[in-house]
């Protein structure tokens, strides 16, 4: 009996040692795979990011891989470049994880876009489900109210006072202004965006993205000879960015001007929903999203002729009615452009005013620096509003923001720019 117990104990001991050795081998294998993944990420992203920081996203992982395609790997010689990283949950399986985008200002290519180009749509149509708020879906998985939530492109919030950059729930963009002492070939402005390519990004991951973007911007600026001083990341955690639109009459912040305009002018055919960001007088990019809800679409439709009623029907499904105002200050004012139909994309010259393809712009000078004030309209909605309403609305916006920011030398588009609808 005793001999049998001793033998059993020995086999148990040897088994435990064997399992420990196997676990140790797996741990060492995992460590090697993670280290290899970190090196691959750093190389693909041009040494701008820590592979370890990227691997800590989404709860952390053992294996990840960067894209093998050159167009998704950072090339410091390119004006705009990016790297893409995938999580590897198992053999032969990958899922989207992370993208880093580096953009430098240039006189021939915009960094910020305005107009009615489909790429600027704030809303998915009724065939898509929400990314940020799935409570508005019907039983068959389709959206019942297309403008309730800016599920495709909500307004970015400023980090701190906005001079460091802006962020959304799944990305952070850090901006670096290249000042005195910069290399002659350095751009006026450098933007670096760190983006999570998966749903349900946690608050902790938003913080990681902000740190990754700031570190990458600092490294990239130094590499291209851009003399800059980046502000510290905010001490407070980056709050979740609202995407649900609110009643326009009671919205404040960057849309407060529109609430005041409705009080003075009445609702008429104007939007009844708004999505604002906090006001920061140092913020170099300030936007306000306005949209028309289904009840307001119905009221407007009652006033339209038969041809225009088709526009109202499409506004409830695949072609929602929306407006977006945005102002760009300092170096940002030199980075704004629009997609010109049948021609090369055009960048707007600061100090000018005009209209093109669903976009209107005015100029001013704020704190001795150029500023550009813009209005974008969705396809068909500007025709519904008409030239008088658009002209009055845009002037109300420009008057408000230039007064609030203490701007001078305001240049408005000609009235004919609003008749050309």
């Amino acid at each position: 009996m005793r001999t049998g117990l001793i033998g059993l104990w020995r086999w148990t001991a040897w088994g435990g040692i064997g399992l420990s050795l196997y676990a140790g081998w797996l741990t060492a294998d995992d460590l090697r795979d993670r280290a290899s993944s970190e090196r691959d990420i750093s190389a693909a992203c041009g040494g701008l990011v820590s592979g370890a920081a990227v691997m800590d996203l989404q709860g952390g992982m053992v294996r990840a891989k960067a894209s093998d395609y050159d167009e998704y790997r950072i090339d410091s010689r390119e004006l705009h470049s990016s790297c893409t990283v995938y999580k590897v949950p198992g053999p032969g399986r990958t899922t989207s994880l992370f993208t880093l985008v580096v953009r430098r200002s240039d006189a021939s290519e915009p960094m910020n876009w305005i107009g009615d180009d489909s790429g600027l749509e704030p809303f998915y149509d009724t065939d898509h489900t929400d990314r940020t708020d799935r409570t508005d879906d019907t039983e068959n998985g389709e959206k019942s109210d297309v403008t309730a939530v800016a599920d495709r492109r909500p307004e970015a919030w400023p980090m701190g006072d906005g001079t460091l950059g802006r962020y959304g729930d799944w990305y952070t963009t850090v901006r670096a202004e290249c000042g005195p002492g910069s290399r002659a070939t350095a751009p006026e402005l450098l933007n670096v965006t760190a983006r999570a390519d998966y749903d349900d990004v946690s608050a902790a991951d938003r913080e990681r993205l902000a740190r990754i973007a700031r570190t990458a911007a600092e490294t990239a600026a130094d590499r291209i000879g851009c003399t800059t001083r980046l502000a510290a990341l905010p001490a407070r955690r980056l709050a979740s960015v609202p995407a649900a639109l609110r009643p326009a009459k009671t919205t404040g912040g960057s849309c407060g001007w529109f609430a005041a305009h409705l009080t003075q002018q009445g609702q008429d055919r104007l939007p009844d929903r708004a999505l604002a960001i906090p006001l920061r007088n140092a913020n170099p990019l300030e936007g306000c999203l306005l949209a028309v809800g289904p009840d307001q679409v119905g009221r407007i439709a009652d006033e339209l002729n038969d041809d225009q009623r088709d526009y109202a029907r499409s506004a409830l499904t695949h072609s929602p009615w929306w407006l977006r105002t945005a102002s760009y200050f300092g170096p940002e004012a030199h980075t704004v452009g629009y997609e010109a139909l049948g021609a090369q994309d055009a960048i707007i010259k600061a100090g000018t005013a005009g209209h093109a393809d669903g976009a209107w712009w005015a100029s001013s000078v704020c704190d001795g620096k150029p500023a550009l004030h813009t209005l974008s309209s969705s396809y068909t909605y500007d025709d519904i509003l008409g030239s008088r309403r658009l002209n009055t609305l845009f002037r109300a916006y420009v008057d408000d923001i230039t007064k609030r920011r203490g701007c001078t030398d305001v240049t408005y588009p000609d009235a004919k720019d609003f008749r050309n609808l």
Side-chain angles (χ1 to χ4, degrees):
M1 180 72 176
R2 182 178 178 184
T3 302
L5 289 172
I6 292 172
L8 179 61
W9 179 84
R10 285 175 176 171
W11 278 109
T12 302
W14 282 112
I17 292 171
L19 288 173
S20 296
L21 290 172
Y22 179 66
W25 177 81
L26 286 179
T27 300
D29 193 47
D30 287 349
L31 290 173
R32 283 194 298 269
D33 283 353
R34 179 169 171 115
S36 175
S37 297
E38 291 174 4
R39 289 192 297 270
D40 182 40
I41 293 168
S42 181
C45 296
L48 299 181
V49 303
S50 158
V54 174
M55 295 280 287
D56 285 340
L57 292 169
Q58 213 175 11
M61 63 202 67
V62 173
R63 298 168 187 86
K65 70 183 295 290
S67 173
D68 295 326
Y69 297 100
D70 288 342
E71 59 264 38
Y72 299 115
R73 300 176 76 90
I74 296 288
D75 184 346
S76 58
R77 296 168 298 179
E78 294 291 330
L79 184 66
H80 306 311
S81 56
S82 63
C83 61
T84 301
V85 177
Y86 303 94
K87 182 179 180 179
V88 183
R93 295 171 54 204
T94 60
T95 59
S96 297
L97 178 66
F98 170 82
T99 297
L100 185 79
V101 181
V102 179
R103 307 195 69 192
R104 289 186 269 176
S105 58
D106 177 70
S108 62
E109 188 173 350
M111 291 174 67
N112 295 295
W113 299 84
I114 61 172
D116 62 359
D117 174 66
S118 60
L120 301 176
E121 272 279 356
F123 308 103
Y124 283 121
D125 61 33
T126 52
D127 293 331
H128 289 80
T129 55
D130 264 357
R131 174 174 187 162
T132 53
D133 185 349
R134 302 185 187 276
T135 61
D136 190 47
D137 298 345
T138 59
E139 290 182 0
N140 62 2
E142 294 182 351
K143 293 172 60 181
S144 60
D145 185 346
V146 70
T147 62
V149 176
D151 44 9
R152 183 174 182 177
R153 191 182 289 267
E155 302 306 282
W157 273 36
M159 284 194 294
D161 65 1
T163 54
L164 179 62
R166 51 197 178 272
Y167 76 100
D169 277 352
W170 59 89
Y171 71 91
T172 296
T173 297
V174 169
R175 56 188 301 279
E177 295 185 23
C178 302
S182 296
R183 193 179 300 164
T185 55
E188 187 177 18
L189 183 66
L190 173 72
N191 276 359
V192 176
T193 300
R195 185 184 75 209
D197 294 334
Y198 49 88
D199 291 334
D200 302 322
V201 178
S202 67
D205 276 1
R206 278 199 299 274
E207 298 294 321
R208 291 187 179 95
L209 291 170
R211 289 194 295 270
I212 290 170
R214 190 185 182 284
T215 299
E218 204 164 42
T219 303
D222 182 65
R223 187 174 297 173
I224 64 175
C226 168
T227 301
T228 188
R229 176 176 290 183
L230 300 181
L233 289 169
R236 292 185 178 182
R237 273 201 156 187
L238 300 178
S240 180
V241 172
L245 277 74
R246 305 298 180 192
K249 290 182 178 179
T250 57
T251 301
S254 61
C255 295
W257 69 271
F258 184 67
H261 183 71
L262 290 179
T263 299
Q264 296 172 359
Q265 300 293 326
Q267 185 68 63
D268 194 25
R269 296 184 181 182
L270 296 173
D272 60 334
R273 291 174 168 175
L275 182 58
I277 68 171
L279 292 180
R280 304 285 187 268
N281 284 336
N283 191 2
L285 200 167
E286 180 184 299
C288 165
L289 174 64
L290 307 170
V292 185
D295 292 342
Q296 174 69 344
V297 169
R299 286 188 288 269
I300 295 172
D302 291 338
E303 305 174 2
L304 304 178
N305 58 42
D306 291 339
D307 292 338
Q308 288 182 317
R309 285 201 179 107
D310 289 337
Y311 294 162
R313 282 189 285 270
S314 66
L316 298 173
T317 55
H318 61 275
S319 186
W321 290 342
W322 56 268
L323 300 171
R324 177 178 264 131
T325 57
S327 285
Y328 307 86
F329 301 89
E332 300 281 354
H334 298 296
T335 68
V336 184
Y338 57 89
E339 185 176 296
L341 297 177
Q344 186 177 0
D345 297 338
I347 194 162
I348 298 170
K349 185 177 180 181
T352 66
H355 159 256
D357 299 324
W360 290 263
W361 64 91
S363 295
S364 70
V365 177
C366 307
D367 291 329
K369 299 177 180 179
L372 200 65
H373 315 286
T374 70
L375 170 68
S376 299
S377 172
S378 62
Y379 178 67
T380 74
Y381 188 40
D382 50 11
D383 186 52
I384 296 298
L385 285 176
S387 59
R388 178 185 59 80
R389 294 184 187 89
L390 271 172
N391 191 3
T392 302
L393 181 69
F394 188 49
R395 279 185 167 265
Y397 167 64
V398 176
D399 286 348
D400 179 86
I401 196 165
T402 53
K403 180 179 180 180
R404 175 163 54 85
R405 294 266 191 147
C407 307
T408 60
D409 302 322
V410 184
T411 304
Y412 296 92
D414 292 334
K416 63 180 178 59
D417 290 316
F418 292 92
R419 289 196 296 269
N420 187 25
L421 300 179

